[in-house]
């Protein structure tokens, strides 16, 4: 296969490219616009040149609550589906609290620093456009929390409405006695779902 050479292109943007032929070696220098004085990777800048907030700050309680709401709501929904309504109800209630408090959270009041400049606000409002994922997490947590609570209440309502069936099924000592409990269920879709299978 013939050697196809690419046309010469400027390699100023590639820090790993070999220097052009004839140019003497130069000592390493940091690239212009590559960050702050300390070389910290989290030291990002806004489009207007100011120092911007990070996307995820684990020390911020509002952002933490948004993430907690999503996780607790999701697990509460799963526990509700898998038939453990008590854990689903607990996680759903926690997710509901965390989601509402994350959405209603206000940034801390700006206090003047030693130089007299106001301190940067905290919370979802301080993130600006980067707050969108946190708001999405909080809203998703509220939705899944509502579903988990609905599943838990539906399970408790079924157990209360068909208490005789559940007591009969739990007290049955044999399979035939357990099958006799199906007569206590209505002849509809709910009865078909709850009845004891052979």
């Amino acid at each position: 296969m013939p050697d196809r050479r690419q046309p010469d292109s400027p390699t100023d943007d590639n820090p790993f490219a070999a220097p052009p032929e004839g140019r003497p070696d130069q000592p390493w220098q940091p690239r212009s616009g590559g960050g702050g004085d300390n070389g910290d990777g989290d030291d990002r800048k806004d489009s207007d040149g100011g120092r911007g907030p990070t996307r995820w700050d684990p020390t911020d309680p509002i952002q933490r609550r948004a993430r907690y709401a999503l996780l607790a709501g999701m697990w509460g929904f799963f526990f509700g589906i898998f038939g453990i309504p008590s854990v689903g109800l607990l996680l759903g209630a926690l997710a509901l609290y965390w989601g509402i408090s994350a959405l209603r959270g206000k940034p801390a009041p700006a206090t003047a620093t030693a130089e007299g400049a106001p301190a940067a606000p905290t919370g979802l409002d301080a993130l600006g456009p980067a707050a969108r994922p946190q708001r999405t997490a909080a809203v998703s947590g509220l939705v899944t929390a509502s579903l988990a609570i609905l599943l838990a209440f539906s399970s408790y309502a079924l157990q209360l409405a068909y208490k005789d069936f559940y007591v009969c099924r739990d007290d049955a000592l044999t399979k035939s006695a357990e099958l006799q409990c199906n007569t206590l269920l209505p002849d509809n879709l709910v009865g078909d779902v709850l009845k004891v299978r052979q």
Side-chain angles (χ1 to χ4, degrees):
M1 185 168 192
D3 184 19
R4 294 182 183 173
R5 295 187 178 263
Q6 297 290 334
D8 291 337
S9 61
T11 58
D12 292 341
D13 59 344
N14 186 357
F16 302 107
E21 292 183 18
R23 179 185 283 181
D25 289 340
Q26 296 177 348
W28 179 86
Q29 296 177 351
R31 298 177 72 183
S32 60
D37 297 332
N38 56 1
D40 191 3
D42 289 331
D43 192 13
R44 299 184 183 93
K45 300 217 175 212
D46 290 331
S47 58
D48 60 354
R51 193 169 286 185
T54 58
R55 289 181 64 87
W56 164 241
D57 183 13
T59 62
D60 188 359
I62 296 177
Q63 295 183 45
R64 276 200 320 262
R65 286 176 185 160
R67 297 290 176 100
Y68 291 165
L70 177 62
L71 290 173
M74 181 180 62
W75 281 107
F77 178 70
F78 286 147
F79 277 114
I81 286 179
F82 294 137
I84 310 174
S86 56
V87 179
L89 183 62
L90 173 65
L91 290 174
L94 284 172
L96 205 62
Y97 167 73
W98 282 326
I100 291 173
S101 64
L103 289 176
R104 294 187 57 175
K106 301 288 185 197
T111 57
T113 58
E115 294 82 17
T122 60
L124 293 180
D125 294 336
L127 292 177
R132 188 173 179 185
Q134 311 306 329
R135 282 197 184 93
T136 303
V139 171
S140 301
L142 287 176
V143 171
T144 53
S146 302
L147 291 174
I149 291 172
L150 182 65
L151 283 173
F153 281 144
S154 300
S155 175
Y156 288 136
L158 279 176
Q159 290 178 20
L160 187 62
Y162 303 110
K163 182 179 179 182
D164 294 336
F165 166 74
Y166 283 104
V167 170
C168 176
R169 190 190 67 179
D170 292 339
D171 291 344
L173 298 177
T174 62
K175 187 67 174 179
S176 60
E178 194 175 359
L179 288 171
Q180 288 295 322
C181 298
N182 289 339
T183 58
L184 300 173
L185 290 172
D187 191 15
N188 57 17
L189 180 63
V190 175
D192 290 340
V193 171
L194 294 179
K195 72 179 180 180
V196 179
R197 309 289 176 188
Q198 292 184 355

